[in-house]
Amino acid sequence: MKYDVSMKNHIKYRPQYYPVSSEYTDWVKKDHIEKAPSWCSVDLRDGNQALIVPMSLQEKLDFFTYLCRLGFKEIEVGFPAASETEYEFVRTLIEKDMIPEDVKIQVLTQSREHIIRKTLDSLVGAKHAIVHLYNSTSFAQRQQVFRRSKEEITKIATDGAQLIKEIASEEIYKGTDFQFEYSPESFTGTEMDYAAEICNAVIDIWELTPDHPVIINLPATVELSLPHVYANQICYMDRNLHRRDSVILSLHPHNDRGTGVACAELGMLAGADRVEGTLFGNGERTGNVDIITLAMNMFTHGVDPKLDFTNMPQTVEKYEEYTDMKVSPRQPYAGELVFAAFSGSHQDAIAKGMKFREETDPNRWTVPYLPIDPHDVGREYDGDVIRINSQSGKGGVAYLIQRDHGFDIPKAMRSEVGYMMKDISDRNHEELSSDNIFEIFRKSYVNYFAPLDITDAEFTYGSSLKDEGNQQRVKVDMRVVVGGKEDENKEIYNLTGTGNGRMDAVSNALQKTKYNFNYKFITYSEHALSQDSNSKAAAYICIEDTNGRDFWGVGTHDDIILASVNALVSAINRMNDEDRFMN
């Protein structure tokens, strides 16, 4: 049998949403969100709805406490009428006085009398509670599932709203500050005029004032449109709800089209005051809107999100512990790899951006390729930002060696060191850590004392009026060891040499051995390894052999003069690896 892979089945799909006219599009003139919305976590509701193995009572209690620590002031704790675990969870929170004074718990109920009564029964003794009523309103649900008219669907909503109002006024709830919420479930598939009609019918039943508003929540129960269409729908509702000054307009986007965050952001621009969502977007099907991404997006624009994600690694750990789900390594702001730069050009730009920030304004963050400072979410530059593999460049390698170990490799040397690390990573098919990189660098370049070793060197300085240019002359007396590791195989020389400088004097002295040290100096640099007054010095020397090949050596010592000698020795020994001057 042959299968048609042309995807001609697209013809059976048609838009199922209801766009509004262009008069509801002026929100597009806004270019950023100016303040954080009210946040409502629905993690604990979807902790039972959307997990293969629902959370236990203790896990839900622990998760609730953690959500409070993150700064959530409204937390939907589930469907108390759905199961005994759900009901017991709400009662435990209340009876053990686990709800902070400034936090409201939210409970969800269908518009059915016995469910409403049990839901409210679970709230006896609560100080602050949101009762969230919903029923489905979309054309598809009315036509296919309920087979009822608009008037009949509206009556379901208003009957539920009236019953909630009556029960909440009973004496047993005298100490509870109730807030009511209504959701026309499947809002995105509902005709907009009807969505406004049913919401207004509920609003007209509930008593509300600007100081005691109701919540009208508009869920993208299933994402059906481009994000701007959803935002236009929110704008329509913003302008057509009764008593708008006493209504909190709330969003509950899902992520079926992968644009939940965009829908929420545009919805806020269009007039929404509140967002319901979950950590990392957990939820039914493709999930709810990801509150962490939303909050951190605001953070990058200089807006306080009013939630605390300063320890993102812990947030990832807690989420994975409670839900038994994994956070993707590419998850915005939180994934293991989101700050990692393997590309050479990216690494170079980040390194230069970090340096520019230090030199100009450490209080501003404009580093290329990093939308936020990893430190702001509890991540470290070490192992999080510059990462080295076969795709990396010279700049990233040099940056890590300088940042973590203090060696400021000369620019002319960086390509050689970078290609060395790339080749090792490529051959071994693995990433190199900062420690791996430095160990390779150290063994290859730093204080490389075999087969040649200058164990002692003493310099004296003088000048002669007869020398052209009155140039200073340098004399060195030094002890040189050449040979194998065993003492009986070593040759020891006590040499004296003079030259125009230290390295020239040392080179001239080496010529008095029987070995062929043919090279010329290309470049030299030095620096302290730290800012301490007793810091070691590092010196870098490049020499060229008779074939025109360059060899670098690095030397360290408490004395910068001896560090330079060690650098020269290292370069000569690296040349020996190629030329075998001892042969």
Side-chain angles (χ1 to χ4, degrees):
M1 178 183 294
K2 292 184 178 180
Y3 292 92
D4 183 355
V5 293
S6 65
M7 296 199 72
K8 292 181 179 177
N9 283 341
H10 70 276
I11 62 175
K12 69 185 180 185
Y13 298 100
R14 294 289 185 275
Q16 298 184 60
Y17 57 87
Y18 296 87
V20 297
S21 65
S22 60
E23 66 182 294
Y24 298 103
T25 62
D26 59 344
W27 59 267
V28 301
K29 298 174 184 177
K30 302 176 184 178
D31 62 7
H32 70 282
I33 297 167
E34 296 181 349
K35 66 176 183 178
S38 300
W39 301 107
C40 177
S41 161
V42 296
D43 290 89
L44 292 165
R45 180 229 290 187
D46 276 311
N48 274 24
Q49 270 193 310
L51 299 180
I52 297 173
V53 179
M55 287 183 278
S56 67
L57 173 61
Q58 188 59 51
E59 286 172 329
K60 289 171 77 74
L61 292 170
D62 292 344
F63 202 174
F64 176 85
T65 299
Y66 185 67
L67 291 168
C68 292
R69 282 172 51 194
L70 291 177
F72 286 98
K73 303 305 180 186
E74 298 176 12
I75 301 173
E76 190 164 86
V77 292
F79 294 86
S83 71
E84 284 306 310
T85 300
E86 295 277 275
Y87 187 90
E88 184 184 2
F89 172 48
V90 179
R91 294 307 311 155
T92 302
L93 289 174
I94 296 169
E95 291 169 6
K96 290 190 174 183
D97 197 22
M98 297 180 66
I99 307 168
E101 188 66 34
D102 59 348
V103 172
K104 297 179 182 179
I105 58 170
Q106 179 171 304
V107 290
L108 191 65
T109 179
Q110 295 175 330
S111 188
R112 300 169 66 182
E113 183 175 353
H114 70 286
I115 294 177
I116 289 172
R117 289 190 178 278
K118 185 164 186 178
T119 299
L120 282 158
D121 181 58
S122 74
L123 295 174
V124 172
K127 296 177 183 177
H128 309 283
I130 300 170
V131 182
H132 184 183
L133 173 71
Y134 76 96
N135 67 308
S136 192
T137 60
S138 71
F139 175 79
Q141 293 267 16
R142 299 195 317 266
Q143 182 188 55
Q144 301 170 41
V145 180
F146 303 110
R147 302 195 178 198
R148 295 189 181 184
S149 66
K150 291 179 180 178
E151 291 75 19
E152 290 172 309
I153 295 297
T154 299
K155 189 173 188 302
I156 292 173
T158 53
D159 284 352
Q162 184 63 43
L163 182 59
I164 288 171
K165 177 182 175 181
E166 292 172 0
I167 296 174
S169 65
E170 294 175 0
E171 183 68 21
I172 196 172
Y173 300 110
K174 186 175 182 180
T176 302
D177 173 27
F178 280 114
Q179 187 171 26
F180 300 148
E181 175 177 350
Y182 175 67
S183 288
E185 189 198 0
S186 60
F187 163 77
T188 46
T190 303
E191 305 92 325
M192 286 301 103
D193 57 345
Y194 178 57
E197 177 185 320
I198 193 170
C199 288
N200 283 329
V202 171
I203 288 171
D204 290 345
I205 290 173
W206 285 336
E207 296 175 3
L208 62 159
T209 67
D211 294 330
H212 198 266
V214 299
I215 300 168
I216 296 297
N217 186 55
L218 304 175
T221 308
V222 178
E223 268 197 310
L224 300 175
S225 68
L226 295 172
H228 76 283
V229 174
Y230 179 63
N232 292 344
Q233 293 171 332
I234 300 304
C235 185
Y236 177 91
M237 297 295 287
D238 177 48
R239 296 190 194 174
N240 287 281
L241 290 176
H242 294 176
R243 302 289 304 279
R244 182 64 181 91
D245 64 339
S246 301
V247 171
I248 296 172
L249 190 57
S250 177
L251 308 176
H252 186 109
H254 277 248
N255 199 43
D256 301 88
R257 292 171 56 90
T259 59
V261 168
C263 284
E265 290 182 323
L266 299 190
M268 283 186 274
L269 291 180
D273 312 300
R274 179 179 184 267
V275 174
E276 296 186 345
T278 59
L279 303 182
F280 302 113
N282 179 42
E284 298 173 282
R285 304 183 310 279
T286 54
N288 294 295
V289 68
D290 176 5
I291 283 182
I292 292 178
T293 299
L294 272 175
M296 294 308 301
N297 283 355
M298 294 178 203
F299 185 80
T300 67
H301 285 176
V303 176
D304 182 358
K306 305 298 184 182
L307 293 172
D308 183 1
F309 296 117
T310 53
N311 190 348
M312 195 70 78
Q314 182 187 73
T315 302
V316 172
E317 178 185 347
K318 293 291 186 183
Y319 169 81
E320 293 184 341
E321 174 188 344
Y322 298 136
T323 66
D324 199 29
M325 299 180 74
K326 294 296 181 183
V327 173
S328 166
R330 299 295 182 188
Q331 177 75 22
Y333 304 106
E336 179 185 356
L337 297 178
V338 296
F339 299 114
F342 292 100
S343 161
S345 61
H346 290 201
Q347 292 173 347
D348 183 60
I350 290 171
K352 289 176 179 176
M354 295 281 201
K355 185 176 181 181
F356 178 82
R357 178 172 178 256
E358 291 175 2
E359 295 171 347
T360 55
D361 187 355
N363 295 315
R364 291 293 303 275
W365 185 264
T366 59
V367 176
Y369 296 112
L370 295 179
I372 64 168
D373 183 345
H375 283 162
D376 289 337
V377 289
R379 297 283 290 271
E380 296 296 330
Y381 297 145
D382 183 14
D384 278 338
V385 179
I386 303 295
R387 307 277 291 269
I388 305 301
N389 64 12
S390 60
Q391 305 302 309
S392 304
K394 59 184 180 181
V397 172
Y399 174 78
L400 289 181
I401 292 174
Q402 193 280 327
R403 183 196 69 188
D404 298 337
H405 303 282
F407 287 82
D408 189 4
I409 299 173
K411 289 184 179 180
M413 185 184 182
R414 292 178 185 178
S415 291
E416 180 179 310
V417 178
Y419 279 116
M420 174 186 288
M421 303 304 169
K422 284 164 61 78
D423 289 344
I424 292 171
S425 175
D426 195 23
R427 287 198 307 271
N428 296 335
H429 302 288
E430 64 183 12
E431 179 186 353
L432 299 180
S433 70
S434 177
D435 288 341
N436 293 151
I437 289 165
F438 181 69
E439 187 62 15
I440 295 167
F441 173 74
R442 185 190 64 78
K443 288 182 176 180
S444 300
Y445 294 97
V446 183
N447 294 347
Y448 191 164
F449 295 154
L452 173 68
D453 190 8
I454 299 177
T455 58
D456 293 291
E458 183 177 346
F459 294 91
T460 56
Y461 302 86
S463 60
S464 171
L465 293 176
K466 298 186 181 296
D467 287 339
E468 184 177 347
N470 195 27
Q471 191 173 32
Q472 186 182 55
R473 301 291 291 175
V474 178
K475 176 185 174 184
V476 64
D477 294 295
M478 64 188 193
R479 183 175 184 269
V480 177
V481 179
V482 183
K485 295 180 180 179
E486 301 299 328
D487 287 346
E488 59 269 20
N489 296 326
K490 292 182 178 179
E491 300 176 32
I492 299 176
Y493 298 87
N494 291 299
L495 303 174
T496 297
T498 59
N500 295 330
R502 297 191 306 268
M503 294 303 97
D504 189 38
V506 170
S507 296
N508 290 335
L510 288 174
Q511 301 307 319
K512 297 179 181 180
T513 68
K514 66 180 183 181
Y515 297 104
N516 183 23
F517 295 108
N518 289 326
Y519 58 84
K520 67 177 181 179
F521 289 101
I522 300 301
T523 187
Y524 169 79
S525 63
E526 62 187 40
H527 66 81
L529 281 173
S530 73
Q531 300 300 318
D532 298 336
S533 59
N534 60 351
S535 170
K536 280 189 174 183
Y540 308 83
I541 284 180
C542 181
I543 59 176
E544 182 183 287
D545 70 4
T546 55
N547 295 315
R549 295 175 300 180
D550 290 346
F551 295 92
W552 284 91
V554 181
T556 62
H557 198 277
D558 294 335
D559 184 332
I560 187 57
I561 295 174
L562 298 182
S564 65
V565 174
N566 290 341
L568 176 60
V569 170
S570 299
I572 293 171
N573 283 322
R574 296 192 74 250
M575 183 177 69
N576 173 64
D577 290 342
E578 296 289 333
D579 284 348
R580 303 296 176 189
F581 65 77
M582 289 188 64
N583 294 335

